[in-house]
Amino acid sequence: MAPSTSLAGVVINAGLMMKTVKVRIMQQVWNKHIRKHFPSPTNILVHDPASSLRTGDVIRLRSGFRSSKHVHHVVEGIVAPFGTGVEDRPPVVGVEELERRREVRRVAKRGRREERRGRKDEGVGVAETESRETRREM
């Protein structure tokens, strides 16, 4: 996995996308004409596998975990819950658990691929042999 960065942000949209929330990260941009830093909020889509986040939660997130085309971050934990307590929600799935699940899926996919290729190779070999024999007979 690529090197990751840990960030903190506030959930601004939750429950609108399956297992995904929108988080606002506060950054600062330097204006060289005025020579002053100005706040520059950035919105990021974050993977929430257990759907345990609510709008207003302050969370810690980690980059480097791509789960779809636009989602490149995953939740590490809830820093300050908003509304219902953390004990009343599903537990946040850790990054290690997500990596383990991904590896299990990859191994299963490799097995299916090898099985499919094995059957395909056997079928192609028989068809090629039959077509060669019919050509020779003609």
Side-chain angles (χ1 to χ4, degrees), residues 54-73:
R54 306 290 180 259
T55 302
D57 288 346
V58 178
I59 63 166
R60 181 147 306 280
L61 55 121
R62 179 177 170 185
S63 68
F65 190 89
R66 182 176 175 170
S67 59
S68 73
K69 183 177 179 181
H70 299 290
V71 181
H72 301 120
H73 296 78

Side-chain angles (χ1 to χ4, degrees), residues 17-112:
M17 298 170 276
M18 289 177 37
K19 299 182 180 182
T20 305
V21 295
K22 188 184 287 187
V23 176
R24 178 164 290 148
I25 305 296
M26 291 307 293
Q27 298 174 334
Q28 290 187 346
V29 175
W30 176 254
N31 185 323
K32 64 182 181 179
H33 179 69
I34 300 176
R35 298 177 52 88
K36 180 179 175 182
H37 284 285
F38 285 98
S40 172
T42 303
N43 295 335
I44 298 174
L45 294 178
V46 179
H47 183 58
D48 178 22
S51 296
S52 57
L53 299 179
R54 306 290 180 259
T55 302
D57 288 346
V58 178
I59 63 166
R60 181 147 306 280
L61 55 121
R62 179 177 170 185
S63 68
F65 190 89
R66 182 176 175 170
S67 59
S68 73
K69 183 177 179 181
H70 299 290
V71 181
H72 301 120
H73 296 78
V74 67
V75 176
E76 277 189 338
I78 300 174
V79 176
F82 184 82
T84 60
V86 178
E87 59 277 350
D88 299 335
R89 304 179 188 182
V92 175
V93 179
V95 176
E96 295 81 19
E97 175 66 20
L98 289 174
E99 289 173 355
R100 189 190 64 74
R101 288 180 186 178
R102 178 183 277 181
E103 187 60 33
V104 167
R105 286 194 309 262
R106 284 182 182 170
V107 169
K109 181 177 180 177
R110 283 188 211 123
R112 290 190 307 269

